[in-house]
Amino acid sequence: MRITLTAWLVLVCCSAIYAQNRKPEIRENIPLDSIRLSDPAILADKSTSTYYLTGTGGLLWKSKDLATWTGPYVATQTNPDSWMGPRPMIWAAELHAYQNKYYYFATFTNREVVIDTVKGNAIERRASHVLVSDHPDGPYVPMEDETYLPADIPTLDGTFWVDTDGKPYLVYCEEWLVNWNGTMEKIELKPDLSGTVGKRKILFFAHDSPWSKEKDRYDRIVPNKVTDGPYLFKTQTGKLGMIWTSWIFSDYVQGVAYSESGTLDGPWVQEKEPITPPNFGHGMLFRTFEGKLLMSVHSHKSVNGRYIRIPHLFEVDDSGDKIVILGPYLH
């Protein structure tokens, strides 16, 4: 079954809307697979000896052992007078520690503002943005610049990287809903991450992937148009890579690309095959306090017509030039 545009929008919106309209009930000893969460990202914070889990929806959970969690907590305090509006949807949040601060990289959507209409689809005001806090559990609040990226294009799934030039960068996707060939892009951040400087640069296109596929209007097999969920890493040999997600027909799948130059500028060479089983995607990498490298992803399946997404952890080997998924992480 091919996923429709309407179904795709419903599945990415549900948890984002929930977090903005209901005050969550805090619970303890929650198993990871009991949490319903898209785009899970984990910060292993050594200063507090605590793991912090977030993702789509603006909520946050805490754990000492990755097995059981406490939460959810509301992590953000956005400005209702900004372009985001009073109740922005929040997608694909990540937490990053940098220069004695904690940063919240996420996608914010103001559903009350339509910036374009493409092929009959209303394109809402949506952009990657960065919030800041003195503490890993927030609250994360706005900084100096009201906008980080152009207002007339929808961007999403921003992540963080300090390149070989020592400068911090925002890496993100231009959404496929406008150009129907999603991009992966970068833009330089200010030294304190409070805004962006310079011009954005395209790193690669969705159609560059040899593994992602869909059928066009004539039922021909073509490259998929979606770029989703970038996350940068370096292997132990120093190879720069990027995991990112797209589709193989109706399956949501994690792929990987490697930079031949060792910098964000690439060129980026896509692996021929995805690296996770079907319907696991939007991953990120972190190292446990014991030194194991793990990938956090969500599973994606339809149950009685409703899309369910659950966080999962895979153990990863990065000892060579390419990462290898070893299998599910067992506590």
Side-chain angles (χ1 to χ4, degrees):
M1 179 183 69
R2 293 172 61 191
I3 188 169
T4 65
L5 174 59
T6 300
W8 179 83
L9 289 172
V10 168
L11 89 92
V12 296
C13 291
C14 287
S15 58
I17 295 171
Y18 172 88
Q20 296 303 314
N21 292 323
R22 295 184 62 181
K23 184 177 180 179
E25 177 186 354
I26 307 300
R27 295 184 295 129
E28 297 181 349
N29 299 316
I30 310 169
L32 183 62
D33 60 6
S34 294
I35 298 173
R36 299 297 180 261
L37 179 67
S38 300
D39 316 325
I42 294 175
L43 170 69
D45 184 59
K46 292 183 179 179
S47 68
T48 58
S49 299
T50 302
Y51 298 101
Y52 297 89
L53 167 68
T54 190
T56 286
L59 300 178
L60 180 143
W61 290 258
K62 306 175 188 180
S63 175
K64 293 293 185 179
D65 58 8
L66 295 174
T68 60
W69 298 79
T70 298
Y73 304 91
V74 175
T76 64
Q77 292 180 2
T78 56
N79 178 4
D81 296 323
S82 72
W83 67 265
M84 298 178 189
R87 290 178 299 276
M89 295 195 311
I90 302 175
W91 298 355
E94 297 178 359
L95 306 180
H96 293 271
Y98 183 66
Q99 294 184 345
N100 300 316
K101 295 278 188 180
Y102 295 90
Y103 294 90
Y104 187 93
F105 283 65
T107 305
F108 298 86
T109 301
N110 185 341
R111 304 199 73 188
E112 302 302 316
V113 177
V114 174
I115 61 172
D116 202 351
T117 301
V118 180
K119 298 188 178 183
N121 298 313
I123 311 301
E124 297 164 344
R125 177 73 168 95
R126 177 179 305 122
S128 296
H129 203 87
V130 185
L131 307 180
V132 67
S133 177
D134 290 325
H135 309 283
D137 55 355
Y140 289 88
V141 299
M143 290 185 282
E144 178 182 343
D145 284 11
E146 183 173 311
T147 61
Y148 280 64
L149 293 164
D152 60 346
I153 61 170
T155 56
L156 72 163
D157 293 355
T159 191
F160 178 58
W161 189 250
V162 177
D163 212 359
T164 55
D165 58 6
K167 296 178 180 179
Y169 288 88
L170 175 65
V171 177
Y172 61 94
C173 308
E174 180 179 345
E175 192 165 30
W176 61 272
L177 287 170
V178 171
N179 58 24
W180 287 71
N181 184 13
T183 64
M184 203 66 73
E185 303 183 2
K186 73 163 188 174
I187 191 168
E188 184 181 341
L189 289 161
K190 293 180 179 180
D192 63 356
L193 314 191
S194 63
T196 57
V197 295
K199 296 182 179 180
R200 59 195 181 103
K201 177 180 178 179
I202 295 175
L203 306 182
F204 59 83
F205 291 87
H207 287 182
D208 292 339
S209 166
W211 53 266
S212 65
K213 299 176 179 67
E214 64 180 350
K215 288 188 177 181
D216 67 10
R217 58 185 294 190
Y218 303 108
D219 212 34
R220 298 174 299 191
I221 296 176
V222 296
N224 196 278
K225 55 186 171 291
V226 173
T227 49
D228 195 52
Y231 197 86
L232 283 301
F233 65 91
K234 274 193 175 180
T235 68
Q236 293 183 39
T237 63
K239 189 76 171 179
L240 177 62
M242 181 196 300
I243 53 175
W244 65 286
T245 302
S246 192
W247 296 81
I248 300 178
F249 304 117
S250 62
D251 292 336
Y252 190 69
V253 182
Q254 183 78 70
V256 63
Y258 293 94
S259 170
E260 289 194 332
S261 68
T263 73
L264 287 178
D265 289 329
W268 289 90
V269 178
Q270 307 291 333
E271 290 291 279
K272 293 181 179 179
E273 301 293 337
I275 59 171
T276 57
N279 291 315
F280 288 89
H282 202 112
M284 57 82 61
L285 296 163
F286 70 98
R287 205 167 291 277
T288 69
F289 298 131
E290 295 75 32
K292 285 189 176 182
L293 183 64
L294 302 183
M295 178 183 289
S296 172
V297 297
H298 67 246
S299 59
H300 172 100
K301 65 178 179 179
S302 177
V303 178
N304 297 324
R306 180 185 177 190
Y307 287 100
I308 304 296
R309 288 183 162 185
I310 301 171
H312 296 267
L313 299 176
F314 286 91
E315 194 166 345
V316 180
D317 178 9
D318 68 339
S319 60
D321 283 342
K322 296 182 179 181
I323 58 172
V324 178
I325 307 299
L326 300 178
Y329 172 63
L330 303 177
H331 301 285

